[in-house]
């Protein structure tokens, strides 16, 4: 997925990092990257990217003004990791659903504490890897044993996420997942998503009916769709455009809560829904994945210019 011939240098021990440092964000431990070319912030809880912006540019991600940085609380905005299932359990395929022992949506990874694996830096890029062992510690929520490794790659051209799951169990493992990317816009009504035209989607607001998309995706209020497409996308807003290039995905989720649902959501000011949208690189609905013992799958996205 790399766009650059520059490779991050050998990892440095904590204290030797040139651009990366530990900080406390609210009540959460986080890593802050202050590079001459870009800034980024991610928390160990959820391996959650909450900020990315090239120097002298606006934040590329939408973060709720009411987001809470507290243990056990999902952060509203940025890029949450939905793993090892996406959405509400009952709407997952049977092979995924049979492993889930809770009604909690979007898995447990977004509120779990990940461990730092690696930091690599050079004059052009920073790369950070975090890992989560989905083992018996989560047995009350899920049956399975898998290793999740997320790698963040930052440069002036954009940010790249790669979430690799390896099945460490003795049986095949079915999972659904998503990189739940929140993007800002000055005006949702004048925003459109290109690249999903002529693909089918599930409209979860219309009793999960299948519908066909013709042309760009426009917004007029609440939107919740699972597209059967893993094609590169362009999000066009009045402030400019952003390209999303997926890897290991044949499904894309497009979401906005609209005014009524926004008023019911936690950590979401009721007036913020016209200023954001989610375009999520996913393995959702029929695009769920099954891994044999020892097998790995990588779900990734490059967010660029």
């Amino acid at each position: 997925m790399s766009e650059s011939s520059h490779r991050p240098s050998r990892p440095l021990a904590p204290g030797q990092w040139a651009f990366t440092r530990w900080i406390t964000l609210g009540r959460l431990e986080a890593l802050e990257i202050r590079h001459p070319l870009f800034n980024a912030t991610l928390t160990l809880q959820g391996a959650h990217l909450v900020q990315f912006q090239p120097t002298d540019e606006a934040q590329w991600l939408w973060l709720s003004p009411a987001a809470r940085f507290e243990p056990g609380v999902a952060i509203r905005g940025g890029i949450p990791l939905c793993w090892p299932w996406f959405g509400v359990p009952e709407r997952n395929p049977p092979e995924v659903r049979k492993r889930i022992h809770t009604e909690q949506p979007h898995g447990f990874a977004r509120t779990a504490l990940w461990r730092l694996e690696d930091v690599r830096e050079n004059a052009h890029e920073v790369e950070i890897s975090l890992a989560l062992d989905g083992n018996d510690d989560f047995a009350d929520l899920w049956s399975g044993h898998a290793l999740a490794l997320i790698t963040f790659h930052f440069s002036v051209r954009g940010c790249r996420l790669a979430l690799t799951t390896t099945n460490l169990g003795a049986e095949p493992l079915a999972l659904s997942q998503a990189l739940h990317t929140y993007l800002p816009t000055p005006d949702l009504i004048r925003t459109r998503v290109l690249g999903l035209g002529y693909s089918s989607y599930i409209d979860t607001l219309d009793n999960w009916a299948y519908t066909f998309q013709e042309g760009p995706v426009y917004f007029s209020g609440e939107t919740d769709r699972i597209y059967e497409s893993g094609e590169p996308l362009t999000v066009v807003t009045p402030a400019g455009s952003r390209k999303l290039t997926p890897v290991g995905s044949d499904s894309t989720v497009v979401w906005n809560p609209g005014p009524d649902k926004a008023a019911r959501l936690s950590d979401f000011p009721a007036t913020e829904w016209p200023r954001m949208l989610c375009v999520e690189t996913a393995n959702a609905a029929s695009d769920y994945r099954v891994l044999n013992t020892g097998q790995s799958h990588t779900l990734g996205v490059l967010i660029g210019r």
Side-chain angles (χ1 to χ4, degrees), residues 209-249:
Y210 270 88
T211 308
F212 189 73
Q213 179 71 42
E214 294 186 6
V217 178
Y218 290 95
F219 300 85
S220 59
E222 184 177 0
T223 305
D224 194 351
R225 303 172 181 176
I226 304 173
Y227 284 85
E228 294 183 335
S229 174
E231 294 299 312
L233 306 175
T234 302
V235 178
V236 182
T237 79
S241 64
R242 195 71 63 221
K243 294 181 179 179
L244 284 75
T245 305
V247 169
S249 166

Side-chain angles (χ1 to χ4, degrees), residues 93-115:
E95 295 93 331
V96 177
R97 189 169 63 244
K98 71 181 183 180
R99 292 183 173 273
I100 306 172
H101 314 310
T102 176
E103 296 181 0
Q104 171 182 314
H106 296 319
F108 52 80
R110 62 184 183 152
T111 54
L113 189 62
W114 293 58
R115 68 176 181 270

Side-chain angles (χ1 to χ4, degrees), residues 116-188:
L116 178 64
E117 291 289 303
D118 202 3
V119 175
R120 295 172 181 260
E121 303 180 329
N122 65 29
H124 306 276
E125 305 166 326
V126 173
E127 187 174 276
I128 294 177
S129 297
L130 303 172
L132 176 67
D133 195 354
N135 54 23
D136 289 344
D137 291 345
F138 303 98
D140 58 333
L141 302 174
W142 181 72
S143 296
H145 188 192
L147 178 67
L149 178 70
I150 178 80
T151 298
F152 301 87
H153 184 279
F154 306 108
S155 75
V156 71
R157 291 170 302 283
C159 62
R160 185 175 74 240
L161 285 71
L163 175 61
T164 299
T165 302
T166 302
N167 179 13
L168 302 180
E171 301 176 352
L173 175 68
L175 76 154
S176 58
Q177 56 185 339
L179 305 173
H180 197 304
T181 306
Y182 286 78
L183 298 170
T185 176
D187 184 357
L188 181 69

Side-chain angles (χ1 to χ4, degrees), residues 13-33:
Q16 294 179 293
W17 302 329
F19 310 115
T20 304
R21 66 188 183 106
W22 292 106
I23 65 167
T24 300
L25 191 60
R27 295 173 56 200
L28 299 182
E29 194 171 28
L31 288 166
E32 182 182 61
I33 299 96

Side-chain angles (χ1 to χ4, degrees), residues 181-286:
T181 306
Y182 286 78
L183 298 170
T185 176
D187 184 357
L188 181 69
I189 305 304
R190 294 190 292 148
T191 295
R192 61 191 186 275
V193 181
L194 309 179
L196 293 170
Y198 311 109
S199 60
S200 297
Y201 66 88
I202 298 171
D203 190 342
T204 72
L205 303 179
D206 185 20
N207 199 29
W208 289 66
Y210 270 88
T211 308
F212 189 73
Q213 179 71 42
E214 294 186 6
V217 178
Y218 290 95
F219 300 85
S220 59
E222 184 177 0
T223 305
D224 194 351
R225 303 172 181 176
I226 304 173
Y227 284 85
E228 294 183 335
S229 174
E231 294 299 312
L233 306 175
T234 302
V235 178
V236 182
T237 79
S241 64
R242 195 71 63 221
K243 294 181 179 179
L244 284 75
T245 305
V247 169
S249 166
D250 290 313
S251 54
T252 300
V253 179
V254 178
W255 180 79
N256 179 277
D260 295 337
K261 187 169 185 177
R264 301 191 303 269
L265 288 174
S266 62
D267 311 331
F268 199 117
T271 56
E272 279 293 308
W273 69 270
R275 300 185 179 93
M276 56 73 63
L277 69 155
C278 285
V279 180
E280 309 168 36
T281 305
N283 295 133
S286 62

